[in-house]
Amino acid sequence: MAEIASDVPKSNQTILGLYVTPREAYEMWKADREGVTILDVRTLEEYVFVGHPEKARNVPLSFPVFKRVADVPTQAGAAGPPPGFKVKPNPDFVSAVQKVCAPTDKILVLCGSGGRAAMAVNTLAQAGFTNVYNVLNGFEGEMVTDRTSADFGKSMKNGWKDAGLPWGRNLDPDLMWENAR
């Protein structure tokens, strides 16, 4: 397990200091399917349309908010969110997790690439959870930085999908955010 913070990008570091690779997370869950929760903190849209690990529970950390910004030029192909994009925290995040997990339960948190998962781990730690891991590189993975690659600029390296782990777009209503409240 990647438990040394110096090996973890600063944006993915947590106050608990618990980290696993996607493969390690899958093996932990496979060894104890009843005792380990995979928590996907991406938006419901990402969970549904991009896909998710098998049996992952969706509780979004935040929700996207779009507001049209007039007279702000956008660069074609520019990385990052468009002008006017913001997120608002999910006010029910902790209470939704508390409904399905006890503070000492083993929770494996993932997002797209690890940053939101780190924020979610910290939020849960501040609420008294003690056994919460950041799944490094998340579902989609790190950004491809090789400019010669057709995948340059896309997040698709070293994540859950790239590791060849089980995932899909099948929807279990009991695991979806819209039915968690």
Side-chain angles (χ1 to χ4, degrees):
M1 286 186 240
E3 295 187 20
I4 300 171
S6 63
D7 294 341
V8 177
K10 189 162 182 67
S11 63
N12 293 5
Q13 291 181 14
T14 69
I15 57 180
L16 293 177
L18 301 173
Y19 310 98
V20 290
T21 65
R23 182 155 308 283
E24 289 168 337
Y26 176 67
E27 293 301 327
M28 287 169 74
W29 174 79
K30 206 167 73 169
D32 186 8
R33 293 174 192 234
E34 298 301 315
V36 175
T37 298
I38 300 173
L39 184 65
D40 188 328
V41 299
R42 295 174 302 152
T43 66
L44 179 64
E45 294 84 359
E46 290 172 288
Y47 181 85
V48 170
F49 296 114
V50 177
H52 50 271
E54 287 183 357
K55 301 298 180 187
R57 179 173 297 282
N58 177 235
V59 179
L61 179 65
S62 57
F63 303 108
V65 177
F66 298 98
K67 180 180 179 189
R68 183 153 178 89
V69 178
D71 301 324
V72 177
T74 58
Q75 271 186 299
F85 175 85
K86 298 187 185 298
V87 294
K88 69 175 185 171
N90 177 354
D92 300 318
F93 176 72
V94 172
S95 63
V97 176
Q98 288 170 330
K99 286 180 183 177
V100 294
C101 295
T104 57
D105 286 355
K106 189 172 288 181
I107 305 171
L108 310 174
V109 182
L110 85 158
C111 63
S113 60
R116 279 179 288 176
M119 289 185 275
V121 169
N122 290 340
T123 299
L124 292 171
Q126 290 167 347
F129 286 83
T130 59
N131 204 11
V132 187
Y133 291 74
N134 186 351
V135 179
L136 297 171
N137 302 316
F139 185 66
E140 295 178 82
E142 301 170 85
M143 191 170 294
V144 175
T145 57
D146 177 1
R147 291 187 176 278
T148 64
S149 171
D151 295 324
F152 172 71
K154 298 176 183 172
S155 295
M156 50 191 311
K157 183 173 110 182
N158 299 326
W160 188 281
K161 286 169 71 173
D162 185 52
L165 300 171
W167 69 277
R169 293 184 183 96
N170 56 319
L171 301 176
D172 179 341
D174 293 332
L175 298 175
M176 294 174 62
W177 167 247
E178 289 301 314
N179 295 318
R181 295 178 271 175

